[in-house]
Amino acid sequence: MSRAGRRSGDSGTRAAILDSARRQFAEHGYDGATIRAIASGAGVDPALVHHFYGTKERLFAAAMQLPVIPSEVISAALADTSRRPEVTLGTHMVASALALWESEEVRGPFLGLLRSAMTSEQATAMLREFITEAILAPVAAVTNDTDPGSAPFRASLIASQVLGLALTRYLLGLGPIASAGRDELVAAIGPNIDRYLTGDLN
Amino acid sequence: MSRAGRRSGDSGTRAAILDSARRQFAEHGYDGATIRAIASGAGVDPALVHHFYGTKERLFAAAMQLPVIPSEVISAALADTSRRPEVTLGTHMVASALALWESEEVRGPFLGLLRSAMTSEQATAMLREFITEAILAPVAAVTNDTDPGSAPFRASLIASQVLGLALTRYLLGLGPIASAGRDELVAAIGPNIDRYLTGDLN
């Protein structure tokens, strides 16, 4: 796509950066794409990319039209739990995921990303790397710290349940899990997430 | 595809039935496809389809090249658990699923079906109906029978965790869950399945 044409000023520059980011993420994956290469592809200075988007995660979220920044949602959930100790972290994570997905604005891009990861090797690598860095790492940081070695495993078990929920509820529309109310799902699934976070897994 | 040509005898007839089955399942879904219509599409008598394949589930498994019949695997797992009471049913279900998936012969067609369900509405409906009838129903039959109304919900929660495991381990190849040994996964996930089977979900 030409970087000239109708675009002008900030919005044209932002659009050129997002175009370049999508190309770089698709070609080199989440880990391999660099702010420097994305800036170069858009014909701008790397400092401008940092100025507009801050981190690579925020740039990825903007390029993929994710309306939320996963690690920020997780941090917010953690802060909320520490204020209300009667809510377990697992319960809160399920409630947050469902609240986000019930918004069409979030669900659409999220399911689009998941769908493309199912069918394209490149998209798979990109999503895998993104989930590992932006979601598993912050989750791992709050899991059972008596055994820090188990944190990445615990985080990936949580991903298996949370992504499995999205798969069966929204993509497959599987009977009762698709029609269940949010509170019912939070009560049913939350404690299983708590076990993955801090329970005995052996 | 022409039903004449090089085919002859039993194998030609079987191939014509499987062709017709794939068309009918794709067009009308698992529930909507009938043995009668499949037989008619293959130009044979319905009795012959029953003779070759027995049930609609077995015919579906043959048409989709699934090398196992899900409800039979579940029944076998149940029988095994009742002989060895120290093995919980949830643990046994996770072990059985992993043992099946570690075989390339099973994993390939299974992931193919899951992938196509992610991207085609028709394939989604077909897989949803098949999972509901051939997998959720037998699972629901062994869940907490003090509250039979909860059985379909319990079965769909199990599906969310088991399909989420397949998604993260095989399709996304997500870090530790992709490289973990079978025993480690069975110990970590089995008890969560047991809770979905018989635990308090409220």
Side-chain angles (χ1 to χ4, degrees):
Chain A
M1 187 180 295
S2 159
R3 291 195 300 273
R6 286 175 304 164
R7 287 169 181 166
S8 68
D10 260 21
S11 75
T13 307
R14 281 175 184 270
I17 291 170
L18 296 182
D19 278 347
S20 173
R22 277 185 287 270
R23 280 196 305 273
Q24 292 287 329
F25 284 128
E27 214 165 296
H28 303 289
Y30 183 76
D31 289 347
T34 64
I35 296 278
R36 176 171 300 275
I38 290 166
S40 158
V44 303
D45 192 271
L48 191 66
V49 178
H50 280 294
H51 171 70
F52 280 151
Y53 296 101
T55 63
K56 186 155 81 169
E57 184 190 1
R58 295 187 70 92
L59 176 56
F60 180 85
M64 298 299 148
Q65 301 187 286
L66 300 181
V68 296
I69 315 296
S71 66
E72 293 177 7
V73 172
I74 294 170
S75 304
L78 292 176
D80 191 70
T81 316
S82 63
R83 278 196 304 272
R84 297 186 302 160
E86 78 284 5
V87 179
T88 70
L89 182 52
T91 296
H92 197 81
M93 282 174 70
V94 178
S96 300
L98 288 170
L100 281 172
W101 290 333
E102 306 293 288
S103 143
E104 172 58 41
E105 195 196 9
V106 180
R107 192 168 67 246
F110 170 77
L111 295 182
L113 210 57
L114 196 54
R115 253 193 210 102
S116 63
M118 303 288 281
T119 47
S120 141
E121 276 296 327
Q122 276 186 327
T124 305
M126 189 172 76
L127 186 63
R128 179 176 57 235
E129 292 163 6
F130 179 70
I131 290 177
T132 303
E133 192 163 314
I135 304 182
L136 295 199
V139 170
V142 299
T143 56
N144 190 354
D145 55 13
T146 61
D147 175 14
S150 73
F153 183 52
R154 291 177 182 276
S156 70
L157 288 167
I158 292 168
S160 79
Q161 174 61 80
V162 173
L163 293 178
L165 171 61
L167 170 67
T168 47
R169 181 170 168 88
Y170 301 113
L171 286 176
L172 296 180
L174 207 61
I177 211 170
S179 58
R182 234 194 266 181
D183 291 347
E184 199 183 355
L185 289 172
V186 168
I189 298 173
N192 277 20
I193 302 290
D194 284 322
R195 181 171 167 274
Y196 287 152
L197 282 165
T198 55
D200 178 11
L201 301 183
N202 298 310
Chain B
M1 188 178 295
S2 161
R3 290 195 301 273
R6 287 174 303 161
R7 288 171 182 164
S8 68
D10 261 22
S11 77
T13 307
R14 281 175 184 270
I17 291 170
L18 296 182
D19 277 347
S20 173
R22 277 185 286 271
R23 280 196 305 274
Q24 293 287 329
F25 283 129
E27 215 166 295
H28 303 289
Y30 183 76
D31 289 347
T34 63
I35 297 277
R36 176 171 299 275
I38 290 166
S40 158
V44 303
D45 193 89
L48 191 66
V49 178
H50 280 294
H51 171 69
F52 280 152
Y53 297 102
T55 62
K56 185 156 82 170
E57 184 189 2
R58 295 187 71 93
L59 176 56
F60 181 85
M64 298 301 149
Q65 301 186 285
L66 301 180
V68 296
I69 315 296
S71 66
E72 293 176 9
V73 172
I74 293 170
S75 304
L78 292 176
D80 192 70
T81 316
S82 62
R83 278 196 305 272
R84 297 187 301 160
E86 77 284 5
V87 179
T88 69
L89 182 53
T91 296
H92 198 80
M93 283 175 68
V94 177
S96 301
L98 288 170
L100 282 172
W101 289 333
E102 306 294 290
S103 145
E104 172 57 42
E105 196 196 8
V106 179
R107 192 168 69 246
F110 170 77
L111 296 182
L113 209 58
L114 196 54
R115 254 193 208 103
S116 63
M118 304 290 280
T119 47
S120 141
E121 276 296 327
Q122 276 185 327
T124 305
M126 191 172 74
L127 186 64
R128 179 176 56 234
E129 292 164 5
F130 178 69
I131 290 178
T132 303
E133 192 163 313
I135 304 182
L136 295 199
V139 171
V142 300
T143 55
N144 190 353
D145 55 12
T146 61
D147 175 13
S150 74
F153 183 51
R154 290 177 183 277
S156 71
L157 288 167
I158 291 168
S160 79
Q161 175 61 83
V162 173
L163 294 177
L165 172 61
L167 171 67
T168 48
R169 181 168 168 88
Y170 302 112
L171 286 176
L172 297 180
L174 207 61
I177 210 169
S179 58
R182 234 195 267 181
D183 291 348
E184 199 183 356
L185 290 172
V186 168
I189 298 173
N192 277 19
I193 302 289
D194 283 324
R195 181 171 167 274
Y196 286 153
L197 281 167
T198 54
D200 178 11
L201 302 183
N202 297 310

